[in-house]
Amino acid sequence: MKQARRLDNAPPYLFVEIEANIKKALAQGVDVINLGIGDPDMPTPDFVVDKMISAVKDPKYHCYPEYSGCIEFRTAVSRYYKRRFGVTIDPETEVVALLGSKEGIAHIFFALVNDCDFTLVPDPQYPVYQLATALTGGVPYPMPLTKENGYLPDLSVIPQEVIRRSKILFVNYPNNPTGTVADLNFYQRLVDFALEHDIVVCNDNAYSEFTYDGVIAPSILQAKGAMETAVEFHSLSKSYNMTGWRIGYAVGNKDAISKLKKMKENIDSGIFTAVQLAGTEALNRGDEFAKTMRSVYKRRRDTAMEELKNLGLEFEVPKGAFYIWVKVPPSFTSKTFTSMLLEKTGVVVAPGNGYGSFGEGYIRISLTVGHERLKEAFERIKQLSF
Ligand SMILES: Cc1ncc(COP(=O)(O)O)c(C=O)c1O
């Protein structure tokens, strides 16, 4: 069967490939330790599950949900933004609920990007920014994130012609995969740049609650003028262990939010209201829970960093998110090191080149397995010589 041309532009999704490799290894009886995918291993908190159970029994929530999200959820988002970032958000016009942040991230490209427009996207990156651009017929222009630039894009090297034809600038801090956290000065530079060039600037803040060593992640919406041009994407997946529930949201500039809503209204019919009410509970009551999760990841991060040092592998100390960006030993590529680890130890990691060409030479280790299992993974890796 012939597929639409736009699908030809999209390579297989990285994690679908990783999942297939895991299935193959499991079928061969390998005891796989999965450090490849950023899917929290701990359960959703009871108070969220309990809210879901009561809401699911209420027939009033069995009909179509509201397109933008129920007012309880949007109000909880607005309160969270005030409490956490000091930012005022109008729940009527500046928030939209999403079927997981991935859905909204992909759809904003469809709402704003035409054929042959540029989008400014990081490299390495969470792959959706580039894939969604490709599906719209736009052209992703990679902004390298390197050790030299502190894993923050250098706006001064983007050609004027590219800037002139760009519709969206997308960043993601705390960053997957490098673990970098941006500060408010950086966001201010992005917002000033976006206002000057009439570009919508988006930050993917899925890991806002996971920062270490005294660092606190700001919101791009704290920058002056941000509400005139910026959109921030948020996820409940990571902060409250809710990856399977599919709930997130976008907040920010009302014009961009209304275009995203229009796109969605024509494609999906909202999120089950019971899930939104459970999400409301998570946002209203989950601050302490997220803090506990942060300390769990910090312990794992510290253990993994110690083990990596002992192995003599070079890595970036992650100040945020729950990944470690590790340089592969000199005789390997991202792919050969990843394959060798799976074959010889049953440990799955994500190859850095899957995040963009500037990810070549790296792997990403996800801290989403229990402490003992993490140690076991390193015990196995220690048996290798490289
Ligand atoms: C940077 C980043 N943004 C967004 C997402 C998607 O999260 P959600 O489950 O809300 O779709 C992920 C998932 O791993 C991610 O790493």
Side-chain angles (χ1 to χ4, degrees):
M1 186 194 293
K2 281 197 180 138
Q3 63 182 14
R5 268 193 306 280
R6 72 178 67 84
L7 272 189
D8 295 339
N9 298 334
Y13 191 58
L14 172 66
F15 298 104
V16 174
E17 274 191 312
I18 294 177
E19 209 172 74
N21 290 339
I22 294 173
K23 271 196 189 146
K24 214 156 81 191
L26 286 172
Q28 289 162 358
V30 178
D31 174 24
V32 170
I33 302 181
N34 187 356
L35 309 182
I37 296 178
D39 194 351
D41 55 310
M42 293 158 285
T44 308
D46 285 346
F47 63 89
V48 176
V49 174
D50 290 345
K51 182 70 195 179
M52 179 72 186
I53 291 169
S54 63
V56 85
K57 287 182 177 163
D58 190 337
K60 135 163 130 243
Y61 304 127
H62 294 177
C63 49
Y64 282 120
E66 262 187 75
Y67 283 105
S68 309
C70 65
I71 188 62
E72 292 88 340
F73 182 74
R74 287 182 279 119
T75 304
V77 168
S78 164
R79 287 204 190 117
Y80 166 78
Y81 257 74
K82 193 72 189 171
R83 183 170 81 239
R84 172 70 175 80
F85 303 114
V87 171
T88 303
I89 298 287
D90 177 358
E92 292 298 340
T93 56
E94 294 170 339
V95 186
V96 58
L98 302 172
L99 290 144
S101 64
K102 180 180 178 185
E103 173 266 301
I105 291 168
H107 276 141
I108 199 157
F109 287 89
F110 284 86
L112 299 177
V113 177
N114 286 316
D115 239 15
C116 302
D117 285 341
F118 278 108
T119 66
L120 304 172
V121 295
D123 179 349
Q125 61 159 285
Y126 172 62
V128 178
Y129 321 133
Q130 181 189 336
L131 291 174
T133 302
L135 288 170
T136 63
V139 183
Y141 184 86
M143 301 182 293
L145 306 184
T146 60
K147 197 173 184 60
E148 292 67 40
N149 62 27
Y151 301 99
L152 299 170
D154 179 356
L155 304 177
S156 71
V157 299
I158 306 169
Q160 285 305 315
E161 177 60 12
V162 172
I163 296 174
R164 201 181 55 73
R165 288 172 46 202
S166 293
K167 290 289 164 56
I168 297 187
L169 187 161
F170 224 105
V171 292
N172 156 226
Y173 295 101
N175 184 252
N176 171 11
T178 66
T180 310
V181 181
D183 64 14
L184 194 49
N185 286 334
F186 170 75
Y187 286 140
Q188 191 62 59
R189 287 204 299 280
L190 286 187
V191 167
D192 294 344
F193 176 88
L195 286 170
E196 182 186 344
H197 298 290
D198 194 19
I199 292 172
V200 173
V201 59
C202 299
N203 182 44
D204 177 351
N205 209 351
Y207 298 94
S208 64
E209 302 317 296
F210 301 118
T211 51
Y212 315 105
D213 307 334
V215 173
I216 295 174
S219 157
I220 194 170
L221 301 181
Q222 289 172 254
K224 247 191 268 138
M227 291 309 281
E228 291 162 47
T229 186
V231 175
E232 191 150 75
F233 289 86
H234 246 286
S235 173
L236 277 71
S237 292
K238 318 285 174 171
S239 308
Y240 317 108
N241 300 338
M242 292 179 74
T243 46
W245 299 59
R246 311 312 303 133
I247 182 155
Y249 56 93
V251 278
N253 174 262
K254 47 167 92 92
D255 198 13
I257 293 287
S258 83
K259 290 176 171 59
L260 175 57
K261 278 188 203 170
K262 185 172 174 188
M263 191 74 218
K264 283 173 57 59
E265 282 156 14
N266 287 289
I267 290 188
D268 68 69
S269 297
I271 306 153
F272 184 20
T273 307
V275 171
Q276 293 187 58
L277 293 175
T280 302
E281 203 71 2
L283 286 168
N284 285 341
R285 293 178 53 198
D287 292 1
E288 276 309 306
F289 181 83
K291 240 192 239 167
T292 308
M293 288 300 103
R294 180 189 318 161
S295 59
V296 169
Y297 290 121
K298 168 152 190 331
R299 177 163 177 249
R300 293 176 184 179
R301 180 200 73 149
D302 293 349
T303 298
M305 292 199 304
E306 198 54 44
E307 298 283 2
L308 287 164
K309 261 188 226 150
N310 294 339
L311 282 166
L313 289 172
E314 228 182 284
F315 60 91
E316 294 304 327
V317 175
K319 296 293 180 186
F322 43 57
Y323 307 105
I324 308 188
W325 192 232
V326 183
K327 250 192 136 96
V328 301
S331 53
F332 289 92
T333 63
S334 297
K335 199 159 184 175
T336 56
F337 195 59
T338 302
S339 305
M340 186 275 287
L341 284 182
L342 177 58
E343 195 182 307
K344 300 229 163 104
T345 67
V347 174
V348 176
V349 298
N353 62 325
Y355 298 87
S357 57
F358 283 84
E360 179 50 59
Y362 289 86
I363 54 162
R364 189 197 75 172
I365 289 180
S366 172
L367 300 171
T368 48
V369 296
H371 200 248
E372 290 314 307
R373 215 49 188 149
L374 188 63
K375 283 173 89 166
E376 157 86 24
F378 281 106
E379 281 310 313
R380 294 187 198 174
I381 296 171
K382 271 185 212 160
Q383 311 305 317
L384 304 173
S385 51
F386 42 74

PDB file of all heavy atoms in Angstrom, residues 302-332:
ATOM      1  N   ASP A 302      22.996   9.859  41.779  1.00  0.00           N
ATOM      2  CA  ASP A 302      24.284   9.868  42.466  1.00  0.00           C
ATOM      3  C   ASP A 302      24.967   8.501  42.365  1.00  0.00           C
ATOM      4  O   ASP A 302      26.169   8.410  42.139  1.00  0.00           O
ATOM      5  CB  ASP A 302      24.103  10.285  43.932  1.00  0.00           C
ATOM      6  CG  ASP A 302      23.666  11.746  44.039  1.00  0.00           C
ATOM      7  OD1 ASP A 302      23.722  12.459  43.007  1.00  0.00           O
ATOM      8  OD2 ASP A 302      23.258  12.175  45.136  1.00  0.00           O
ATOM      9  N   THR A 303      24.171   7.436  42.527  1.00  0.00           N
ATOM     10  CA  THR A 303      24.735   6.084  42.404  1.00  0.00           C
ATOM     11  C   THR A 303      25.269   5.861  41.000  1.00  0.00           C
ATOM     12  O   THR A 303      26.395   5.384  40.811  1.00  0.00           O
ATOM     13  CB  THR A 303      23.635   5.026  42.702  1.00  0.00           C
ATOM     14  OG1 THR A 303      23.219   5.220  44.047  1.00  0.00           O
ATOM     15  CG2 THR A 303      24.131   3.612  42.515  1.00  0.00           C
ATOM     16  N   ALA A 304      24.458   6.204  39.989  1.00  0.00           N
ATOM     17  CA  ALA A 304      24.869   5.975  38.597  1.00  0.00           C
ATOM     18  C   ALA A 304      26.124   6.787  38.266  1.00  0.00           C
ATOM     19  O   ALA A 304      27.037   6.285  37.592  1.00  0.00           O
ATOM     20  CB  ALA A 304      23.730   6.337  37.647  1.00  0.00           C
ATOM     21  N   MET A 305      26.208   8.025  38.779  1.00  0.00           N
ATOM     22  CA  MET A 305      27.382   8.855  38.472  1.00  0.00           C
ATOM     23  C   MET A 305      28.646   8.236  39.081  1.00  0.00           C
ATOM     24  O   MET A 305      29.703   8.223  38.457  1.00  0.00           O
ATOM     25  CB  MET A 305      27.180  10.286  38.990  1.00  0.00           C
ATOM     26  CG  MET A 305      26.098  11.031  38.219  1.00  0.00           C
ATOM     27  SD  MET A 305      26.170  12.823  38.380  1.00  0.00           S
ATOM     28  CE  MET A 305      26.101  13.061  40.139  1.00  0.00           C
ATOM     29  N   GLU A 306      28.503   7.706  40.288  1.00  0.00           N
ATOM     30  CA  GLU A 306      29.632   7.048  40.957  1.00  0.00           C
ATOM     31  C   GLU A 306      30.111   5.847  40.135  1.00  0.00           C
ATOM     32  O   GLU A 306      31.307   5.662  39.886  1.00  0.00           O
ATOM     33  CB  GLU A 306      29.132   6.578  42.345  1.00  0.00           C
ATOM     34  CG  GLU A 306      30.194   6.248  43.362  1.00  0.00           C
ATOM     35  CD  GLU A 306      31.172   7.382  43.579  1.00  0.00           C
ATOM     36  OE1 GLU A 306      30.735   8.541  43.691  1.00  0.00           O
ATOM     37  OE2 GLU A 306      32.397   7.094  43.614  1.00  0.00           O
ATOM     38  N   GLU A 307      29.147   5.064  39.674  1.00  0.00           N
ATOM     39  CA  GLU A 307      29.476   3.863  38.884  1.00  0.00           C
ATOM     40  C   GLU A 307      30.127   4.253  37.560  1.00  0.00           C
ATOM     41  O   GLU A 307      31.068   3.606  37.107  1.00  0.00           O
ATOM     42  CB  GLU A 307      28.212   3.036  38.605  1.00  0.00           C
ATOM     43  CG  GLU A 307      27.518   2.498  39.849  1.00  0.00           C
ATOM     44  CD  GLU A 307      28.227   1.275  40.439  1.00  0.00           C
ATOM     45  OE1 GLU A 307      29.274   0.871  39.902  1.00  0.00           O
ATOM     46  OE2 GLU A 307      27.716   0.741  41.442  1.00  0.00           O
ATOM     47  N   LEU A 308      29.596   5.302  36.925  1.00  0.00           N
ATOM     48  CA  LEU A 308      30.157   5.736  35.630  1.00  0.00           C
ATOM     49  C   LEU A 308      31.594   6.225  35.813  1.00  0.00           C
ATOM     50  O   LEU A 308      32.470   5.947  34.993  1.00  0.00           O
ATOM     51  CB  LEU A 308      29.288   6.848  35.023  1.00  0.00           C
ATOM     52  CG  LEU A 308      27.947   6.390  34.455  1.00  0.00           C
ATOM     53  CD1 LEU A 308      27.017   7.580  34.235  1.00  0.00           C
ATOM     54  CD2 LEU A 308      28.136   5.618  33.146  1.00  0.00           C
ATOM     55  N   LYS A 309      31.832   6.920  36.927  1.00  0.00           N
ATOM     56  CA  LYS A 309      33.201   7.388  37.220  1.00  0.00           C
ATOM     57  C   LYS A 309      34.132   6.185  37.360  1.00  0.00           C
ATOM     58  O   LYS A 309      35.214   6.156  36.798  1.00  0.00           O
ATOM     59  CB  LYS A 309      33.198   8.179  38.538  1.00  0.00           C
ATOM     60  CG  LYS A 309      33.166   9.678  38.316  1.00  0.00           C
ATOM     61  CD  LYS A 309      33.365  10.410  39.637  1.00  0.00           C
ATOM     62  CE  LYS A 309      32.330  11.510  39.733  1.00  0.00           C
ATOM     63  NZ  LYS A 309      31.903  11.846  41.081  1.00  0.00           N
ATOM     64  N   ASN A 310      33.664   5.172  38.116  1.00  0.00           N
ATOM     65  CA  ASN A 310      34.489   3.972  38.304  1.00  0.00           C
ATOM     66  C   ASN A 310      34.782   3.274  36.988  1.00  0.00           C
ATOM     67  O   ASN A 310      35.833   2.681  36.807  1.00  0.00           O
ATOM     68  CB  ASN A 310      33.813   2.985  39.261  1.00  0.00           C
ATOM     69  CG  ASN A 310      33.726   3.560  40.665  1.00  0.00           C
ATOM     70  OD1 ASN A 310      34.489   4.473  41.007  1.00  0.00           O
ATOM     71  ND2 ASN A 310      32.797   3.059  41.469  1.00  0.00           N
ATOM     72  N   LEU A 311      33.814   3.348  36.058  1.00  0.00           N
ATOM     73  CA  LEU A 311      34.021   2.720  34.743  1.00  0.00           C
ATOM     74  C   LEU A 311      34.916   3.565  33.843  1.00  0.00           C
ATOM     75  O   LEU A 311      35.315   3.137  32.767  1.00  0.00           O
ATOM     76  CB  LEU A 311      32.667   2.544  34.037  1.00  0.00           C
ATOM     77  CG  LEU A 311      31.780   1.385  34.494  1.00  0.00           C
ATOM     78  CD1 LEU A 311      30.371   1.566  33.961  1.00  0.00           C
ATOM     79  CD2 LEU A 311      32.361   0.059  34.016  1.00  0.00           C
ATOM     80  N   GLY A 312      35.189   4.779  34.269  1.00  0.00           N
ATOM     81  CA  GLY A 312      36.027   5.680  33.460  1.00  0.00           C
ATOM     82  C   GLY A 312      35.275   6.280  32.281  1.00  0.00           C
ATOM     83  O   GLY A 312      35.894   6.745  31.323  1.00  0.00           O
ATOM     84  N   LEU A 313      33.928   6.279  32.353  1.00  0.00           N
ATOM     85  CA  LEU A 313      33.147   6.876  31.253  1.00  0.00           C
ATOM     86  C   LEU A 313      32.889   8.355  31.541  1.00  0.00           C
ATOM     87  O   LEU A 313      32.615   8.739  32.686  1.00  0.00           O
ATOM     88  CB  LEU A 313      31.818   6.130  31.077  1.00  0.00           C
ATOM     89  CG  LEU A 313      31.942   4.716  30.502  1.00  0.00           C
ATOM     90  CD1 LEU A 313      30.595   3.989  30.555  1.00  0.00           C
ATOM     91  CD2 LEU A 313      32.465   4.742  29.067  1.00  0.00           C
ATOM     92  N   GLU A 314      32.963   9.153  30.486  1.00  0.00           N
ATOM     93  CA  GLU A 314      32.739  10.608  30.610  1.00  0.00           C
ATOM     94  C   GLU A 314      31.239  10.887  30.526  1.00  0.00           C
ATOM     95  O   GLU A 314      30.562  10.280  29.683  1.00  0.00           O
ATOM     96  CB  GLU A 314      33.398  11.275  29.412  1.00  0.00           C
ATOM     97  CG  GLU A 314      34.259  12.458  29.728  1.00  0.00           C
ATOM     98  CD  GLU A 314      34.797  13.051  28.441  1.00  0.00           C
ATOM     99  OE1 GLU A 314      35.726  12.461  27.852  1.00  0.00           O
ATOM    100  OE2 GLU A 314      34.246  14.071  28.017  1.00  0.00           O
ATOM    101  N   PHE A 315      30.742  11.793  31.353  1.00  0.00           N
ATOM    102  CA  PHE A 315      29.309  12.105  31.302  1.00  0.00           C
ATOM    103  C   PHE A 315      29.066  13.530  31.777  1.00  0.00           C
ATOM    104  O   PHE A 315      29.932  14.140  32.400  1.00  0.00           O
ATOM    105  CB  PHE A 315      28.510  11.122  32.175  1.00  0.00           C
ATOM    106  CG  PHE A 315      28.909  11.140  33.621  1.00  0.00           C
ATOM    107  CD1 PHE A 315      28.275  11.975  34.533  1.00  0.00           C
ATOM    108  CD2 PHE A 315      29.954  10.348  34.078  1.00  0.00           C
ATOM    109  CE1 PHE A 315      28.655  12.010  35.866  1.00  0.00           C
ATOM    110  CE2 PHE A 315      30.359  10.377  35.415  1.00  0.00           C
ATOM    111  CZ  PHE A 315      29.704  11.208  36.303  1.00  0.00           C
ATOM    112  N   GLU A 316      27.874  14.024  31.485  1.00  0.00           N
ATOM    113  CA  GLU A 316      27.474  15.340  31.989  1.00  0.00           C
ATOM    114  C   GLU A 316      26.748  15.140  33.315  1.00  0.00           C
ATOM    115  O   GLU A 316      25.884  14.270  33.414  1.00  0.00           O
ATOM    116  CB  GLU A 316      26.505  16.014  30.995  1.00  0.00           C
ATOM    117  CG  GLU A 316      27.130  16.352  29.670  1.00  0.00           C
ATOM    118  CD  GLU A 316      28.363  17.233  29.804  1.00  0.00           C
ATOM    119  OE1 GLU A 316      28.412  18.066  30.731  1.00  0.00           O
ATOM    120  OE2 GLU A 316      29.293  17.066  28.998  1.00  0.00           O
ATOM    121  N   VAL A 317      27.082  15.941  34.320  1.00  0.00           N
ATOM    122  CA  VAL A 317      26.347  15.852  35.592  1.00  0.00           C
ATOM    123  C   VAL A 317      24.962  16.452  35.361  1.00  0.00           C
ATOM    124  O   VAL A 317      24.851  17.653  35.090  1.00  0.00           O
ATOM    125  CB  VAL A 317      27.070  16.639  36.712  1.00  0.00           C
ATOM    126  CG1 VAL A 317      26.242  16.645  37.992  1.00  0.00           C
ATOM    127  CG2 VAL A 317      28.452  16.052  36.962  1.00  0.00           C
ATOM    128  N   PRO A 318      23.891  15.627  35.409  1.00  0.00           N
ATOM    129  CA  PRO A 318      22.576  16.193  35.121  1.00  0.00           C
ATOM    130  C   PRO A 318      22.064  17.042  36.270  1.00  0.00           C
ATOM    131  O   PRO A 318      22.024  16.598  37.409  1.00  0.00           O
ATOM    132  CB  PRO A 318      21.686  14.959  34.922  1.00  0.00           C
ATOM    133  CG  PRO A 318      22.409  13.832  35.565  1.00  0.00           C
ATOM    134  CD  PRO A 318      23.854  14.185  35.694  1.00  0.00           C
ATOM    135  N   LYS A 319      21.691  18.277  35.953  1.00  0.00           N
ATOM    136  CA  LYS A 319      21.102  19.154  36.975  1.00  0.00           C
ATOM    137  C   LYS A 319      19.588  19.025  36.968  1.00  0.00           C
ATOM    138  O   LYS A 319      18.894  19.568  37.824  1.00  0.00           O
ATOM    139  CB  LYS A 319      21.481  20.616  36.699  1.00  0.00           C
ATOM    140  CG  LYS A 319      22.967  20.870  36.811  1.00  0.00           C
ATOM    141  CD  LYS A 319      23.430  20.702  38.246  1.00  0.00           C
ATOM    142  CE  LYS A 319      24.918  20.947  38.387  1.00  0.00           C
ATOM    143  NZ  LYS A 319      25.403  20.643  39.729  1.00  0.00           N
ATOM    144  N   GLY A 320      19.063  18.357  35.934  1.00  0.00           N
ATOM    145  CA  GLY A 320      17.625  18.180  35.860  1.00  0.00           C
ATOM    146  C   GLY A 320      17.243  16.960  35.043  1.00  0.00           C
ATOM    147  O   GLY A 320      18.105  16.281  34.487  1.00  0.00           O
ATOM    148  N   ALA A 321      15.926  16.677  34.991  1.00  0.00           N
ATOM    149  CA  ALA A 321      15.345  15.494  34.326  1.00  0.00           C
ATOM    150  C   ALA A 321      15.856  14.218  35.012  1.00  0.00           C
ATOM    151  O   ALA A 321      16.402  14.296  36.121  1.00  0.00           O
ATOM    152  CB  ALA A 321      15.627  15.496  32.830  1.00  0.00           C
ATOM    153  N   PHE A 322      15.653  13.043  34.400  1.00  0.00           N
ATOM    154  CA  PHE A 322      16.176  11.836  35.062  1.00  0.00           C
ATOM    155  C   PHE A 322      16.936  10.944  34.089  1.00  0.00           C
ATOM    156  O   PHE A 322      16.697   9.747  33.998  1.00  0.00           O
ATOM    157  CB  PHE A 322      15.088  11.087  35.842  1.00  0.00           C
ATOM    158  CG  PHE A 322      13.748  10.929  35.177  1.00  0.00           C
ATOM    159  CD1 PHE A 322      13.622  10.314  33.937  1.00  0.00           C
ATOM    160  CD2 PHE A 322      12.593  11.356  35.837  1.00  0.00           C
ATOM    161  CE1 PHE A 322      12.374  10.146  33.358  1.00  0.00           C
ATOM    162  CE2 PHE A 322      11.339  11.200  35.258  1.00  0.00           C
ATOM    163  CZ  PHE A 322      11.230  10.590  34.018  1.00  0.00           C
ATOM    164  N   TYR A 323      17.887  11.590  33.414  1.00  0.00           N
ATOM    165  CA  TYR A 323      18.736  10.885  32.454  1.00  0.00           C
ATOM    166  C   TYR A 323      20.189  11.274  32.691  1.00  0.00           C
ATOM    167  O   TYR A 323      20.467  12.347  33.232  1.00  0.00           O
ATOM    168  CB  TYR A 323      18.355  11.289  31.025  1.00  0.00           C
ATOM    169  CG  TYR A 323      16.890  11.117  30.729  1.00  0.00           C
ATOM    170  CD1 TYR A 323      16.043  12.221  30.664  1.00  0.00           C
ATOM    171  CD2 TYR A 323      16.347   9.849  30.551  1.00  0.00           C
ATOM    172  CE1 TYR A 323      14.687  12.075  30.406  1.00  0.00           C
ATOM    173  CE2 TYR A 323      14.989   9.684  30.300  1.00  0.00           C
ATOM    174  CZ  TYR A 323      14.168  10.801  30.228  1.00  0.00           C
ATOM    175  OH  TYR A 323      12.833  10.639  29.989  1.00  0.00           O
ATOM    176  N   ILE A 324      21.098  10.390  32.213  1.00  0.00           N
ATOM    177  CA  ILE A 324      22.514  10.783  32.190  1.00  0.00           C
ATOM    178  C   ILE A 324      23.020  10.629  30.756  1.00  0.00           C
ATOM    179  O   ILE A 324      22.778   9.607  30.097  1.00  0.00           O
ATOM    180  CB  ILE A 324      23.372   9.959  33.165  1.00  0.00           C
ATOM    181  CG1 ILE A 324      22.747   9.976  34.576  1.00  0.00           C
ATOM    182  CG2 ILE A 324      24.777  10.550  33.232  1.00  0.00           C
ATOM    183  CD1 ILE A 324      23.596   9.354  35.662  1.00  0.00           C
ATOM    184  N   TRP A 325      23.673  11.662  30.280  1.00  0.00           N
ATOM    185  CA  TRP A 325      24.169  11.754  28.903  1.00  0.00           C
ATOM    186  C   TRP A 325      25.645  11.366  28.956  1.00  0.00           C
ATOM    187  O   TRP A 325      26.467  12.095  29.493  1.00  0.00           O
ATOM    188  CB  TRP A 325      23.955  13.194  28.439  1.00  0.00           C
ATOM    189  CG  TRP A 325      24.110  13.523  27.001  1.00  0.00           C
ATOM    190  CD1 TRP A 325      24.898  14.532  26.491  1.00  0.00           C
ATOM    191  CD2 TRP A 325      23.423  12.958  25.875  1.00  0.00           C
ATOM    192  NE1 TRP A 325      24.749  14.593  25.125  1.00  0.00           N
ATOM    193  CE2 TRP A 325      23.850  13.639  24.719  1.00  0.00           C
ATOM    194  CE3 TRP A 325      22.504  11.924  25.725  1.00  0.00           C
ATOM    195  CZ2 TRP A 325      23.387  13.330  23.439  1.00  0.00           C
ATOM    196  CZ3 TRP A 325      22.037  11.615  24.450  1.00  0.00           C
ATOM    197  CH2 TRP A 325      22.471  12.298  23.328  1.00  0.00           C
ATOM    198  N   VAL A 326      25.922  10.185  28.412  1.00  0.00           N
ATOM    199  CA  VAL A 326      27.233   9.558  28.616  1.00  0.00           C
ATOM    200  C   VAL A 326      27.962   9.423  27.284  1.00  0.00           C
ATOM    201  O   VAL A 326      27.383   8.977  26.294  1.00  0.00           O
ATOM    202  CB  VAL A 326      27.047   8.134  29.223  1.00  0.00           C
ATOM    203  CG1 VAL A 326      28.389   7.481  29.509  1.00  0.00           C
ATOM    204  CG2 VAL A 326      26.191   8.186  30.483  1.00  0.00           C
ATOM    205  N   LYS A 327      29.244   9.771  27.265  1.00  0.00           N
ATOM    206  CA  LYS A 327      30.068   9.609  26.052  1.00  0.00           C
ATOM    207  C   LYS A 327      30.426   8.146  25.893  1.00  0.00           C
ATOM    208  O   LYS A 327      30.780   7.487  26.883  1.00  0.00           O
ATOM    209  CB  LYS A 327      31.349  10.422  26.215  1.00  0.00           C
ATOM    210  CG  LYS A 327      31.380  11.627  25.298  1.00  0.00           C
ATOM    211  CD  LYS A 327      32.729  12.254  25.245  1.00  0.00           C
ATOM    212  CE  LYS A 327      33.002  12.557  23.821  1.00  0.00           C
ATOM    213  NZ  LYS A 327      32.790  13.714  23.272  1.00  0.00           N
ATOM    214  N   VAL A 328      30.339   7.629  24.683  1.00  0.00           N
ATOM    215  CA  VAL A 328      30.711   6.216  24.482  1.00  0.00           C
ATOM    216  C   VAL A 328      32.240   6.121  24.409  1.00  0.00           C
ATOM    217  O   VAL A 328      32.902   7.098  24.055  1.00  0.00           O
ATOM    218  CB  VAL A 328      30.052   5.614  23.210  1.00  0.00           C
ATOM    219  CG1 VAL A 328      28.547   5.690  23.294  1.00  0.00           C
ATOM    220  CG2 VAL A 328      30.548   6.291  21.939  1.00  0.00           C
ATOM    221  N   PRO A 329      32.804   4.944  24.744  1.00  0.00           N
ATOM    222  CA  PRO A 329      34.265   4.804  24.654  1.00  0.00           C
ATOM    223  C   PRO A 329      34.744   5.028  23.214  1.00  0.00           C
ATOM    224  O   PRO A 329      33.977   4.803  22.268  1.00  0.00           O
ATOM    225  CB  PRO A 329      34.504   3.352  25.082  1.00  0.00           C
ATOM    226  CG  PRO A 329      33.262   2.943  25.795  1.00  0.00           C
ATOM    227  CD  PRO A 329      32.146   3.728  25.224  1.00  0.00           C
ATOM    228  N   PRO A 330      35.993   5.449  23.035  1.00  0.00           N
ATOM    229  CA  PRO A 330      36.492   5.905  21.734  1.00  0.00           C
ATOM    230  C   PRO A 330      36.265   4.966  20.550  1.00  0.00           C
ATOM    231  O   PRO A 330      35.998   5.425  19.456  1.00  0.00           O
ATOM    232  CB  PRO A 330      37.993   6.092  21.984  1.00  0.00           C
ATOM    233  CG  PRO A 330      38.124   6.266  23.448  1.00  0.00           C
ATOM    234  CD  PRO A 330      36.978   5.586  24.105  1.00  0.00           C
ATOM    235  N   SER A 331      36.326   3.653  20.743  1.00  0.00           N
ATOM    236  CA  SER A 331      36.238   2.780  19.561  1.00  0.00           C
ATOM    237  C   SER A 331      34.783   2.475  19.161  1.00  0.00           C
ATOM    238  O   SER A 331      34.547   1.656  18.281  1.00  0.00           O
ATOM    239  CB  SER A 331      36.979   1.481  19.836  1.00  0.00           C
ATOM    240  OG  SER A 331      36.474   0.936  21.030  1.00  0.00           O
ATOM    241  N   PHE A 332      33.815   3.104  19.803  1.00  0.00           N
ATOM    242  CA  PHE A 332      32.402   2.795  19.536  1.00  0.00           C
ATOM    243  C   PHE A 332      31.660   3.977  18.924  1.00  0.00           C
ATOM    244  O   PHE A 332      32.075   5.130  19.064  1.00  0.00           O
ATOM    245  CB  PHE A 332      31.689   2.442  20.841  1.00  0.00           C
ATOM    246  CG  PHE A 332      32.082   1.114  21.414  1.00  0.00           C
ATOM    247  CD1 PHE A 332      33.124   1.036  22.329  1.00  0.00           C
ATOM    248  CD2 PHE A 332      31.416  -0.052  21.053  1.00  0.00           C
ATOM    249  CE1 PHE A 332      33.494  -0.187  22.880  1.00  0.00           C
ATOM    250  CE2 PHE A 332      31.777  -1.270  21.606  1.00  0.00           C
ATOM    251  CZ  PHE A 332      32.815  -1.351  22.516  1.00  0.00           C
TER     252      PHE A 332
END
